[in-house]
Amino acid sequence: MGGLIRLEGMDRAARTDPPAPDPMHEATEATRSLQGLSAELTARVPQLLEAMRTVGAGLDLHITLDRIVQTAAELADARYAAIGIIDDAREGLSDFVTYGVGAREHQRIGALPDGHKGLLGALIHDPKPLRLADLTQDPRSAGFPPEHPPMRTFLGVPIRVQGEIFGNLYLTEKRGGGEFSEEDLHMVRVLATEAGIAIGNARMYAATRQRERWIDGSVAVTTELLAGSDVDDALAVVAEQARKLADSAAGIVLLPDDEGGLEIVAVSADDPTGILGTHIPPDSPVARQLLDGEPVFVDDSASDPRMVTDIAARFGPSMLLPLKSGGRVLGTLATPRTRGARPFSAAERTLATQFAAQAALALVLADAQRDRERLAVYEDRDRIARDLHDLVIQRLFATGMMLEGAQRRSVVPEVAAGIGKAVDELDVTIQEIRTAIFALQQSPVEAPSGLRTRVLREIGTAAVPLGFQPSAHFVGPVDSRVGELTGKNLIAALREALSNAFRHAHASRIEVVVDATIRLPDGTDGVRLTVADDGIGIPSGGRRSGLQNLAKRAESLGGASTYGPGVGEDGAGTTVTWEAPL
């Protein structure tokens, strides 16, 4: 079977069409043309019926097209067959599905015909049945490439899908050296009608499946966001789902930056190096259009003058969709494909736009949910602070007063000294509790925003569910050397590592080290986060999603993440190491 070439440009932009013809009526009209013809044609009717049955089987569009060209070649006894699929502009071919030409021959021939010239181009603009004894003698013929197999006899029939020209079915090189007969033409016309019905069914099925996938993706994003993921993880989920659904090379989320432009804050790609942190300046026409809530569709990012970033050279067709909800633009979702890939169809653009709107709504809802949870935490902290002040400190103070009275009445020096030490310890405890009360009553936004402070804040937050305080050690000037982008991702990595230790490790000790003096393997300055525990370690066959998230986050910055033995006896536990450029 000839090489099946991937379909391109199949979906049409939504338009108002006249009512589609009845498929049964089309088939009946085509079959009437067989009446009154030769006995030879009558004898071939069973073969035609079998061919029609073969063409109509199945709903996969790619397989259906491949089956049509093979069946048509067998029906008309042709050596070669092809379907030229007309593009949306109706000026050329978006794809060319062949039979009879092997993969090696395709490679030698080179580029497939585009339908802009020659006989194939003429049939696009004048889609009528055509039978030629020698196509090379037709004045419309433009010749063949050097390695193209010789072709002379020719039969061409248009294929209509729901009354609209979908493409043309071509047959060449009648076996035995003869010409295609009038009977061949009638048989192929009937087959082309059945092919149009089969293609229409397959396209409808493919469109339905495509809509289902995008709906399922929207549900997955909404579920994940409302499950309590933090902002960075939520944006990563949106990027990953969009990449998968759009069949793109990358899923990218951009948020407005302080300068009025856009910054890439989440990436899902096989090679995310150099993408995260890229800025689109505010004077870019793309940034202005996106921040105004308008989508941008690009045929080739590498050559489009509107795409001003360095990473644009990596990609071809792209969709840039505003994440807009309730008139508010939260950011942008981009789904670029590789260079030379097929452009996004009208249906894909519509579905992706709807997905972006749903994702934006889910982000708003998730943000509101986090605000409610944060408010509940603040209220709980206020209650704990009041209880500590009104109950614990008062009781400790009263206990200290009683001990001081007992100390004065004691006649044994050793007892008096011991009571004095106990009173001193109570005083220290009271001071520590008052410090804790102050920390509980302080809003996170009131605290300094340096990396050291943010690390200590994350450790303090993790201490509550852990039941103990992890230790922290800093090497080098972490506040001044580590950039904002790397620092933000380091905090997210620390949060992930502490969460893994709490949920899976059952540790009793955790040591956190942030070293801003390291050199990465490529020689650049970097920062290393080490989180070591004495827990049970990583079980064989256990889930690695948390470790994978850490690795993806580091790789997107040009770093890496690894894990090894912990700090317990005989290496018990786990040590997670996360590195990234400064």
Side-chain angles (χ1 to χ4, degrees), residues 1 65-75 81 99:
M1 181 177 257
L65 291 169
D66 197 49
R67 186 183 291 122
I68 289 170
V69 291
Q70 180 184 7
T71 304
E74 294 171 352
L75 181 66
Y99 169 78

Side-chain angles (χ1 to χ4, degrees), residues 26 37 93 111 114 119 258 304 331 352 456 532 543:
E26 290 184 359
L37 293 177
L93 299 177
D114 57 15
L119 190 59
D258 296 335
D304 195 304
L456 293 173
R543 293 183 61 187

